[in-house]
């Protein structure tokens, strides 16, 4: 049997370049080497959402992006977390072997407490326990994630280890697999690209919308006039060129440093590169968007395949805990 990969992503709706370079491409590439399970974690989303009116739409849009990018339901299991309710059962059982002190130390928890002091709910503290349940329910050994998720993964390993020590060998200790492009900065050139910060470029934009968005980006702040020499090393547009057109980027850096090209030229070139890279993605997406029932079917099939594995694990867990 191939080693199993599991990864989850929150239902943030239409995906952006950061999601694509940092996660989705990696998911796609892993499909041939591993048995992959990719999950849209709608229950996790509830830890920070009080308005769920866009949840279904976001799940749908995100799935469209995943499929158009090459996630293949014939190769991988693609499903929505809440469609396999066994994960909540495992979450409860794992919560009994997880010391509260481990959870209170998690950096993302501390950040969330600062960000949403009015909504520090019980589920938020348990976020990493639910994430552990996601992974170990499928006995996944490999978890592709970005750097920000490493503390969660460390905790998942500790919880799995503790469970195994208490109740006998049940779960493999999952290993993080860092993506090749761990951090994509947004149009502000400062923060991680994110929809919430409105510094993102959505994959599903038209060519014109992409170009307009790229034009808004911050470049080298010291370069005020067209004739000023630029500093590509600190410029996010240059960095993005490196992802989309790596062979041209040395050349471009030289032209920037010598002020042979201005930021507008450089941005136009980047928009063109993004648009040509995403051309076939956008065509596939438009076709898929015409068949909403196809997405529903993919997700139903994914959930039923996931559930077969989930039920088996739950049975074993309960036997090992003497609940059966
Ligand atoms: N916490 C992850 C994030 O915010 C999402 C996630 C939930 C996840 N469950 C997972 C990632 C299991 C990997 C494996 O990005």
């Amino acid at each position: 049997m191939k080693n199993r990969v599991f990864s989850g992503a929150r239902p943030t709706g239409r995906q952006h370049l950061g999601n694509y370079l940092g996660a989705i491409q990696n998911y796609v590439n892993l499909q041939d080497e591993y048995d992959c399970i990719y999950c849209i974690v709608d229950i996790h989303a509830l830890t920070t959402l009080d308005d769920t009116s866009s949840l279904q739409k976001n799940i749908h849009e995100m799935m469209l992006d995943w499929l158009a990018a090459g996630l293949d339901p014939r190769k991988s299991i693609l499903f929505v977390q809440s469609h396999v309710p066994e994960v909540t059962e495992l979450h409860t059982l794992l919560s009994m072997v997880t010391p509260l002190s481990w959870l209170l130390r998690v950096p993302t928890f501390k950040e969330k407490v600062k960000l949403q002091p009015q909504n520090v709910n019980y589920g938020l503290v348990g976020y990493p326990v639910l994430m552990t349940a996601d992974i170990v329910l499928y006995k996944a050994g490999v978890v592709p994630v970005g750097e920000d998720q490493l503390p969660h993964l460390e905790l998942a390993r500790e919880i799995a280890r503790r469970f195994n020590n208490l109740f006998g060998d049940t779960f493999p200790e999952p290993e993080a697999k860092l993506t090749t492009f761990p951090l994509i900065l947004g149009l502000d050139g400062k923060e991680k690209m994110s929809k919430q910060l409105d510094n993102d470029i959505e994959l599903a934009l038209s060519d014109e919308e992409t170009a307009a968005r790229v034009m808004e980006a911050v470049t080298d702040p010291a370069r005020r006039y067209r004739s000023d020499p630029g500093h590509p090393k600190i410029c996010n547009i240059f960095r993005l060129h490196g992802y989309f057109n790596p062979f041209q980027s040395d050349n471009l850096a030289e032209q920037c440093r010598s002020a042979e090209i201005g930021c507008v030229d450089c941005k136009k070139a980047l928009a063109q590169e993004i648009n040509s890279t995403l051309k076939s993605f956008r065509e596939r997406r438009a076709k898929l968007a015409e068949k909403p029932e196809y997405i529903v079917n993919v997700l139903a099939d994914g959930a039923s395949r996931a559930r077969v594995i989930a039920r088996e694990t739950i049975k074993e867990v309960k036997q090992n805990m003497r609940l059966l």
Side-chain angles (χ1 to χ4, degrees), residues 178-196:
L178 270 189
T179 49
T180 346
F181 299 108
L183 184 66
I184 310 298
L185 296 182
L187 296 175
D188 52 13
K190 283 196 207 116
E191 307 279 350
K192 181 171 164 175
M193 188 176 282
S194 110
K195 187 190 224 62
Q196 266 168 341

Side-chain angles (χ1 to χ4, degrees), residues 6-10 27 41 44 81 127 130-132 134-135 143-145 148-149 152-153:
F6 183 97
S7 196
R10 292 157 175 257
Y27 288 0
V41 293
H44 274 110
Q81 188 181 34
Y127 186 107
L130 183 58
M131 181 161 159
T132 305
D134 279 330
I135 300 165
V143 184
V145 282
D148 60 324
Q149 295 296 313
H152 284 155
L153 240 99

